[in-house]
Each structure stands twice: as structure tokens, then as C-alpha cells.
Amino acid sequence: MEQWLWPSGGAWLLVAARALLQLLRADLRLGRPLLAALALLAALDWLCQRLLPPLAALALLAAAGWIALSCLARPPRLPVATRTVLITGCDSGFGKEAAKKLDAMGFTVLATVLDLESPGALELRACCSPHLKLLQMDMTKPADISRALEFVKVHTSSTGLWGLVNNAGLNDIVADAELSPVATFRTCMEVNFFGTLQLTKGLLPLLRRSRGRIVTLGSPAGDMPFPCLGAYGTSKAAMVLLMDIFSSELLPWGIKVSVIQPGCFKTGEGSVNNLNCWERSKQLLLANLPQELLQAYGEDYIEHIYRQFLHSLSLAVPDLSPVVDDIVDALLATQPQHRYYPGRGVGLMYFIHYCLPRSLRRRFLQAFFINPCVPRALRRGKPGPTPAQDEARAADPNPGPSPAVAE
């Protein structure tokens, strides 16, 4: 066993020296990927000790460690210098945190907010440098967007515009597509698609001049049929496709386009405000639902999906730094990724969506997000089964009568 000490120890010494150097240069981040790589190297070391001669083991282990650390290293980044970035939707959530981070890094940040006196706007004024400029803009109002375009042109005349972060977004209803008013689809499209389109097109001359960056916050709901997010998901799907088109068409101009598809994060201004907003949304839906649909689905159906939605929100991750870090990387990496997937379980979600059968995909999204109960009209005059019983009945090729449960 002693003959293995020097090759194994020598290889680990090389790996440790490079890892330490990368950590000191901030090219490597402590976290699960690094721990996983070290665990795999330890397993490889164990196999080498039993299968290979010492010199071959040293070469293989050192090469594997070097490759692993190279893969984990952050790509080279551009200097911040005097770069100016416009971020939309900075009242709260990702936009506010990204504005604070970029301002602290030395960017000149132009931040749009819905209300210049909102808590988020006041916080940005209080904690950021004088280089950060706030601008009121409503993405549903073309006049506001036109005014913002003029504002950006004036404030970037000397520095140019390096980046646009399309963060502003809207989702104000949770319901089946049949239950969601057409006006809600239009509103989501106005904010998430048409507003983003108008702003991006208006800024392209400045971005072409700087060969800059476009970073857009998407959503997995735009890639997958999340239950009860039809209006929001379709608008995000349209926006992401638009960014893919821009990515291809703007490549000759040197503009790089990235889309960030975050998992479930807590982005609201406060839990009490969120609960009140969603309660008002539910009551508004119930009050305006045609009687025929209310009879078919039942008020308890809508109450159930809102309870499940609020439960999923309670499990959201409060730390927004993974998304903010990806925004920074998309703005400064010499070769930014086309897609970023920050958040817990997002990789698994996309694997299931693209690789597993449709029935398993549907069940996963229901278990992960919202599992609707059976609509009233399908209960055959009896209280609806629980979601688990409903799945069991769907899987049975010869189902018997639906079991009655207490409501």
C-alpha cells in the first residue's frame, strides 16, 4: 500500500494547488459541483490503486483532476469599466437584487420601476450609489416605453449601452386556461411579450454600437405545460422564442443573447402582500366566471388550486443570488451561455420533461406544482375523489364507481 502513497498524494497535491489558485482568483466557487467532483476523484483514486501501476495512476488521476477543475472554472470575464446596463422591473425580486449587485460592482445602472415611491425604489435610492438612476415605466404603456428609450439615449450618450436585462414580468391569475379570461392572456402578453419586444427593438441601435448583451428572464412555465399557468406560460414561451430569433439574427452584429430560466424563488415584496394579492385574484375570478363554468368546475375546485399554489410559493427559495449571479455572468462572460437554469431541481425538471413519457411528465408537474382535483361536473353527483384516488382511477383500465370522500 505504501507504493501508492506517493503517486496518489502527488496527484492530490497538484489538484489541491490548482483548486487553491482558482479559489484565490475567484475562478472557482465552493459548492456542490466542487464537492461532487472531489468525490468522483476519490472514487477514481480508489479504482486506480487496485487496477493500475503507480505511474499510470498518477497520470490518470492528475489529468482527471485538471480536467474537472477546468470544467468547474468560471469562464473569463470582461472588465466592468464604465459599462451601463438597463434593468426592467426593479421594484422587487430579481430586478431589485440585480440592480444592487451590478451597482456595487461598478456598473452604471438604469433601473425601471412601476412606482418611484415603492418600497423597492426607496431601498435602491437608500443603498445604491448616485450612479444608479431610477425611471418609472409601465410595460403595458407604449408611451412609457418610448419615454424610457429617450431616457436611456440621454444617459448613455458618453458611455454607450452595454446591456439590457429584461426582467419585468406579470402573472396575476392561477387557473385552468378555460377559466382564465381572455383579457388576462392579453395583459400577460402586453407585459411579458409586446412590452419586452418594443423596448428591446428600441434599444438595438445602442446595443449594436457597443456589441453588447441582452439578458431575459424566462420561466420553465414557458417550456412546460405547468397546471393553471396558461396565460403566463404562453406569454413566456412567445418571449423566449423571440429571444432565440434575436440570438440568431443579431449574431453578425456581435450582440449576445441569453435567457435565464429560474426555478421557484421568492420574488414578491412580502408574504402578506402576496397572500392579499392572490386572494383578491381568486375572488375576482370567482366573481366574473360565467355561471356555466362555475357550475362545471365548482368553487371548491378553484379554492383547491389556489391552496396548492400558495403552498408551492411557501416552499420557494428566498436566496435570489443564483439568478443574480447568472445575470452577471451573462453580462460579463466572454462566452455567455445561451441558457441558464438556476434553482433547485430545475435540471431534473427539464430531464423529466424531455426524456420521460407524457404521463410521467404530467404527474411530475402536478406533484411539483399544482395537482387539481376533479371538476364538479365529472363527479357523477358525488364529492370528487382526492388527487391520488383520481390518478389511481385513471391508471385502472376498468374503473369501478368513483369512491365518495368527504368535502
Side-chain angles (χ1 to χ4, degrees), residues 39-383:
L40 289 174
L41 284 175
L44 180 62
D45 185 14
W46 183 85
L47 286 173
C48 287
Q49 291 184 27
R50 283 152 181 79
L51 301 176
L52 296 176
L55 289 179
L58 170 63
L60 179 60
L61 192 60
W66 196 268
I67 293 170
L69 291 175
S70 298
C71 292
L72 291 173
R74 292 180 179 178
R77 287 188 172 183
L78 302 169
V80 172
T82 57
R83 300 183 195 274
T84 300
V85 175
L86 172 68
I87 309 175
T88 64
C90 295
D91 297 87
S92 63
F94 302 134
K96 184 181 73 173
E97 295 305 316
K100 290 161 63 176
K101 173 79 172 181
L102 294 175
D103 177 74
M105 293 176 66
F107 280 91
T108 297
V109 178
L110 309 179
T112 77
V113 292
L114 263 177
D115 182 1
L116 289 171
E117 300 303 319
S118 68
L122 296 176
E123 181 182 341
L124 288 175
R125 279 200 193 97
C127 70
C128 293
S129 75
H131 297 294
L132 183 138
K133 308 295 183 186
L134 288 176
L135 170 67
Q136 190 278 329
M137 184 177 71
D138 185 338
M139 296 291 284
T140 65
K141 297 178 179 177
D144 278 16
I145 297 176
S146 298
R147 183 164 48 85
L149 293 174
E150 291 303 318
F151 180 91
V152 173
K153 290 174 185 176
V154 169
H155 284 82
T156 59
S157 58
S158 59
T159 62
L161 179 67
W162 171 251
L164 165 63
V165 180
N166 289 311
N167 168 72
L170 173 71
N171 177 37
D172 61 355
I173 192 169
V174 179
D176 294 52
E178 186 180 15
L179 302 179
S180 303
V182 174
T184 300
F185 281 83
R186 288 199 175 101
T187 303
C188 282
M189 289 296 291
E190 283 294 334
V191 175
N192 301 338
F193 179 75
F194 287 112
T196 300
L197 171 62
Q198 182 183 350
L199 182 67
T200 304
K201 280 173 63 66
L203 293 175
L204 283 182
L206 297 175
L207 292 167
R208 284 203 311 271
R209 203 171 303 149
S210 65
R211 299 174 67 87
R213 304 291 170 85
I214 299 173
V215 184
T216 300
L217 271 292
S219 169
D223 290 331
M224 310 174 199
F226 271 72
C228 304
L229 289 184
Y232 177 72
T234 50
S235 65
K236 286 291 188 178
M239 184 183 67
V240 169
L241 179 57
L242 173 68
M243 291 302 145
D244 286 343
I245 292 170
F246 276 143
S247 178
S248 175
E249 294 177 348
L250 297 175
L251 191 61
W253 297 95
I255 297 175
K256 293 182 171 62
V257 181
S258 298
V259 174
I260 298 176
Q261 305 282 55
C264 193
F265 290 88
K266 289 185 179 178
T267 58
E269 295 182 0
S271 57
V272 175
N273 287 344
N274 277 343
L275 289 173
N276 291 337
C277 286
W278 290 116
E279 179 63 27
R280 286 195 297 271
S281 171
K282 180 187 70 178
Q283 295 302 331
L284 191 63
L285 174 64
L286 288 169
N288 292 282
L289 204 61
Q291 195 62 29
E292 179 186 357
L293 282 179
L294 187 59
Q295 288 295 327
Y297 281 86
E299 185 173 338
D300 60 320
Y301 179 91
I302 296 171
E303 292 280 357
H304 173 78
I305 61 176
Y306 268 85
R307 281 197 305 271
Q308 292 218 339
F309 174 69
L310 292 177
H311 175 68
S312 71
L313 288 186
S314 70
L315 302 176
V317 177
D319 179 16
L320 308 185
S321 61
V323 178
V324 175
D325 289 344
D326 283 348
I327 291 174
V328 172
D329 190 77
L331 289 170
L332 290 180
T334 54
Q335 294 297 328
Q337 299 176 37
H338 183 56
R339 286 282 194 279
Y340 292 86
Y341 300 97
R344 187 172 55 201
V346 178
L348 174 63
M349 189 186 306
Y350 274 90
F351 171 78
I352 290 173
H353 177 68
Y354 287 116
C355 299
L356 298 186
R358 182 186 298 270
S359 60
L360 291 179
R361 284 182 271 164
R362 177 175 59 85
R363 293 182 186 184
F364 173 77
L365 287 177
Q366 288 176 341
F368 176 79
F369 188 58
I370 291 176
N371 191 355
C373 61
V374 180
R376 177 183 293 166
L378 300 179
R379 298 175 197 166
R380 301 174 186 174
K382 297 180 179 180

